[in-house]
C-alpha cells in the first residue's frame, strides 16, 4: 500500500489536519490525545519548535509528536506530567501496517536531516515497534531502561479486599495519621481548594488547566488532607474510561510524621474503587518505592535514542550506541 507523509511545525496546523481523529472517544489513552500534546507544548515547552510527523495509507494514520531542541535534534513531546509516550494511530491499522507507517515516517525524518531523536518514557510494546521500524529505515538505535510505570488492576475487588493485601508498611503509615487527618475529595476545582494545592507545591499552569478541563468534563478527583484547617497533602487525579489516573501529589514535609500522602492515597483509592468503580488505576511513573507499594503491576518503560548515521553529527553517539549494545550482549556458553 502506498504511504504518504507530511510534517507540521505548529500545533494548530496539526489540529486542523487531524480533523478530530486524535481526540475521538476511541483514543482512550489520555496521554496520547492531541489535546494532551497541545497542553504539553504550550505549558511545558519540551523544545524550541514542534516537529509533528504524520504518515498515511488509506484511512490509516500514524503520528509522532516531537519537539526540536536544536538543529537536527528532537525529543518526544512529553512533559513532567506525561506517564508515557508512543506513536498515535488512527484508523485501526493492523501490526504490519503500523510497521509500514512508522518505517515510512522514519525514512522521511532521516531525509529531512534529523540526526538524533530521544523518546522517553515509551511502553515496552511501543518501543519494540519503534525500534524495528527505525532500524529497517536505516537508523541506529540505543534502547535503555527508563523509570517504570505502576498500575493496579482492580479485578472486581472492593477497596477493603485490596487493602487487606496491601503491604504492612502502608497500614502502619495510614494508622499513624488517621487520628489527626481529615480528607476532602472534590470533583470541582474551586479557588479555595486550588489555593491549598498551590501552597503544597502545585503552582503549575499545566496542572491548573488540567484541573479546569477535568472539572468541565466531570472527571476531576482532587483530594486534600488537612490537620485542623491546615492543608498538609494534596493529589490531583482524573477518572474516565473506567481508569483512575494520578497526575500529581504534594505534601508538607513538616507534617511527615503523620504520613499524610499515605492517608490521602488510601482515601483516593477507596473513592475510585468503591464509588467510581474503577477497573484500572494508573499511578504514573517513577523510582519511588512507595509507588510500587500501592501497585500490583510494574510496567517497563524504555528510553530510545535514535541516530541517523548518514549525518556527521550523529556518528559519535551512533558508534557509542552500537558499542553499548555490544557491551550488554550476554556471554556465550
Amino acid at each position: 500500500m502506498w504511504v504518504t507523509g507530511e510534517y507540521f511545525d505548529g500545533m494548530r496546523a496539526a489540529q486542523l489536519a487531524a480533523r478530530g481523529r486524535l481526540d475521538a472517544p476511541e483514543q482512550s489513552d489520555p496521554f496520547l490525545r492531541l489535546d494532551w500534546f497541545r497542553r504539553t507544548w504550550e505549558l511545558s515547552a519540551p523544545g524550541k519548535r514542534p516537529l509533528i510527523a504524520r504518515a498515511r495509507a488509506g484511512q490509516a494514520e500514524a503520528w509522532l509528536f516531537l519537539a526540536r531542541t536544536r538543529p537536527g535534534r528532537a525529543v518526544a513531546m512529553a512533559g513532567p506530567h506525561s506517564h508515557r509516550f508512543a506513536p498515535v494511530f488512527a484508523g485501526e491499522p493492523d501490526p504490519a501496517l503500523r510497521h509500514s507507517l512508522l518505517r515510512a515516517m522514519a525514512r522521511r525524518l532521516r531525509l529531512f536531516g534529523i540526526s538524533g531523536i530521544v523518546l522517553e518514557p515509551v511502553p515496552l510494546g511501543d518501543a519494540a515497534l519503534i525500534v524495528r521500524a527505525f532500524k529497517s529505515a536505516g537508523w541506529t538505535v540505543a534502547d535503555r531502561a527508563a523509570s517504570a510505570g505502576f498500575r493496579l488492576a482492580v479485578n472486581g475487588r472492593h477497596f477493603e479486599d485490596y487493602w487487606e493485601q496491601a503491604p504492612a508498611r502502608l497500614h502502619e503509615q495510614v494508622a499513624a495519621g488517621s487520628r489527626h487527618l481529615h480528607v476532602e475529595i472534590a470533583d470541582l476545582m474551586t479557588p479555595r481548594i486550588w489555593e491549598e494545592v498551590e501552597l503544597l507545591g502545585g503552582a503549575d499552569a499545566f496542572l491548573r488547566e488540567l484541573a479546569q478541563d477535568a472539572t468541565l468534563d466531570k472527571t476531576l478527583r482532587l483530594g486534600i488532607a488537612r490537620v485542623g484547617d491546615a492543608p498538609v497533602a494534596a493529589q490531583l487525579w482524573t477518572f474516565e474510561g473506567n481508569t483512575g489516573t494520578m497526575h500529581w501529589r504534594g505534601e508538607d514535609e513538616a507534617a511527615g510524621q503523620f504520613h499524610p500522602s499515605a492517608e490521602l492515597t488510601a482515601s483516593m483509592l477507596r473513592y475510585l474503587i468503591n464509588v467510581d468503580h474503577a477497573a484500572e488505576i494508573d499511578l504514573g511513573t517513577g523510582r519511588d518505592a512507595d509507588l510500587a507499594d500501592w501497585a500490583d503491576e510494574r510496567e517497563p518503560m524504555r528510553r530510545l535514542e535514535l541516530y541517523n548515521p548518514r549525518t556527521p553529527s550523529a556518528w559519535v553517539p551512533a558508534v557509542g550506541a552500537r558499542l553499548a549494545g555490544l557491551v550488554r550482549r550476554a556471554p556465550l556458553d
Side-chain angles (χ1 to χ4, degrees), residues 154-164 269-270 273-275 277:
V154 179
N155 293 326
R157 292 177 291 178
H158 293 289
F159 173 79
E160 290 71 22
D161 301 323
Y162 157 79
W163 187 240
E164 187 176 321
L269 288 176
R270 182 184 295 109
I273 294 172
N274 288 359
V275 179
H277 305 295

Side-chain angles (χ1 to χ4, degrees), residues 96-115:
L97 184 50
R98 290 185 178 211
H99 172 75
S100 297
L101 290 167
L102 284 180
R103 181 178 58 188
M105 188 183 297
R107 285 174 173 169
R108 290 189 174 94
L109 285 167
R110 191 188 66 201
L111 296 174
F112 197 59
I114 300 299
S115 59

Side-chain angles (χ1 to χ4, degrees), residues 145-297:
S147 295
F150 294 96
R151 303 182 71 89
L152 169 64
V154 179
N155 293 326
R157 292 177 291 178
H158 293 289
F159 173 79
E160 290 71 22
D161 301 323
Y162 157 79
W163 187 240
E164 187 176 321
Q165 300 173 359
R169 187 163 78 113
L170 295 183
H171 284 266
E172 293 168 1
Q173 291 176 353
V174 170
S178 59
R179 291 179 298 171
H180 307 277
L181 297 165
H182 167 68
V183 171
E184 176 186 356
I185 300 174
D187 58 6
L188 179 69
M189 174 184 166
T190 65
R192 178 184 68 85
I193 289 180
W194 197 254
E195 183 178 348
E196 292 179 316
V197 169
E198 292 186 336
L199 286 172
L200 294 166
D204 182 325
F206 186 102
L207 291 174
R208 185 180 183 88
E209 184 174 307
L210 176 62
Q212 289 172 335
D213 289 348
T215 295
L216 295 175
D217 295 338
K218 302 186 185 303
T219 60
L220 181 68
R221 303 293 181 267
L222 187 56
I224 304 287
R226 303 182 182 91
V227 174
D229 293 329
V232 292
Q235 294 182 6
L236 193 161
W237 293 65
T238 55
F239 174 71
E240 58 175 319
N242 295 321
T243 298
T245 303
M246 178 194 286
H247 294 279
W248 170 85
R249 55 183 179 159
E251 179 181 292
D252 181 355
E253 294 182 357
Q257 73 271 25
F258 300 129
H259 300 284
S261 288
E263 172 70 28
L264 185 53
T265 300
S267 297
M268 298 298 286
L269 288 176
R270 182 184 295 109
Y271 189 95
L272 287 159
I273 294 172
N274 288 359
V275 179
D276 288 326
H277 305 295
E280 294 282 341
I281 301 293
D282 182 351
L283 293 160
T285 60
R287 301 186 185 277
D288 298 338
D290 64 323
L291 280 181
D293 285 344
W294 295 99
D296 60 9
E297 180 182 341

